[in-house]
Amino acid sequence: MACPSRYEKFTIWRFQLNYVPLCLDYQHIIIMAKYNVQELKELEAAYRSTVSPQKMDEMQEQIMNVIVMQRKYRDKDYSAQKLANDLGTHTRYISAVVTTRFHMNYSQFVNKHRIDEAMSILTDKRYLKLTMDEVSDMVGFANRQSFYAAFYRFTGITPRQYRLNMMKAHPTMFGKKIA
């Protein structure tokens, strides 16, 4: 059977090797073994099952309180380690709760709340004069590039395009007409 012409990326430790054929005959298996190339597999972390559902509920509320209610997502340096220290637990359990209950990793969880606030700021006429650098700084991103990348990942458009789309869709909300 001939290999298809499509190719797939495989991870080698922390590096990616591109252009490894999807069809793996004997020759390709040798290449994969030589370079220690493996397909990525979803691993179930053992510590996730050690956290009881009641403890998960409690930690979920605590995480939401600290990250969302206290708006710690605005702090550029607020890491999972700092959250774990604040809650008196280990980062593994923070990670387990965030992954299990919110279906994303810690960085994605924090960035989601940053992006939600950025979307509110971008559609608020009081903040029309703010630059994207200022908006990204207000919501906790370290730089504009991180802000744009995260915003695009969550919404599929850039922050600037989001603001322009909202201004076109709701011109009275911004107090001006956009052509």
Side-chain angles (χ1 to χ4, degrees):
M1 179 171 115
C3 291
S5 60
R6 297 183 340 199
Y7 294 89
E8 187 174 298
K9 292 181 181 182
F10 288 87
T11 301
I12 304 174
W13 295 95
R14 292 184 183 245
F15 304 101
Q16 284 193 348
L17 177 66
N18 296 322
Y19 311 114
V20 175
L22 284 173
C23 177
L24 299 175
D25 58 20
Y26 180 72
Q27 181 182 5
H28 294 109
I29 292 172
I30 293 171
I31 290 171
M32 287 181 66
K34 180 178 177 183
Y35 294 107
N36 193 23
V37 179
Q38 300 175 8
E39 288 186 59
L40 293 176
K41 295 179 182 168
E42 186 70 27
L43 298 177
E44 183 64 32
Y47 56 84
R48 286 187 194 152
S49 61
T50 62
V51 182
S52 71
Q54 294 82 13
K55 184 68 174 171
M56 279 226 184
D57 291 341
E58 180 184 321
M59 287 181 67
Q60 179 182 357
E61 283 185 38
Q62 291 173 338
I63 291 168
M64 288 297 290
N65 180 45
V66 172
I67 299 294
V68 180
M69 302 306 287
Q70 296 178 25
R71 296 185 178 191
K72 292 287 188 175
Y73 61 83
R74 290 181 172 177
D75 183 353
K76 295 170 181 56
D77 301 317
Y78 200 73
S79 63
Q81 181 65 53
K82 288 184 181 179
L83 176 61
N85 291 342
D86 288 350
L87 298 180
T89 189
H90 195 277
T91 55
R92 287 183 180 190
Y93 298 112
I94 297 295
S95 176
V97 172
V98 171
T99 302
T100 305
R101 296 300 170 97
F102 302 110
H103 309 289
M104 56 185 84
N105 65 34
Y106 177 79
S107 296
Q108 292 169 332
F109 177 70
V110 170
N111 285 343
K112 179 193 178 306
H113 292 288
R114 289 174 176 166
I115 297 304
D116 288 345
E117 184 171 359
M119 291 170 76
S120 296
I121 290 170
L122 291 170
T123 57
D124 191 328
K125 66 181 176 181
R126 296 175 293 176
Y127 300 113
L128 276 179
K129 295 189 190 269
L130 290 180
T131 65
M132 292 303 157
D133 284 329
E134 293 168 327
V135 173
S136 72
D137 190 55
M138 281 177 70
V139 298
F141 283 98
N143 56 55
R144 187 173 56 113
Q145 290 78 17
S146 300
F147 173 54
Y148 265 73
F151 197 96
Y152 190 85
R153 203 172 299 119
F154 279 97
T155 64
I157 57 175
T158 66
R160 182 180 182 281
Q161 190 61 51
Y162 176 78
R163 179 184 267 172
L164 291 173
N165 289 351
M166 292 304 289
M167 290 173 84
K168 284 180 183 176
H170 309 285
T172 57
M173 193 166 84
F174 294 94
K176 53 169 96 172
K177 273 238 182 220
I178 304 295

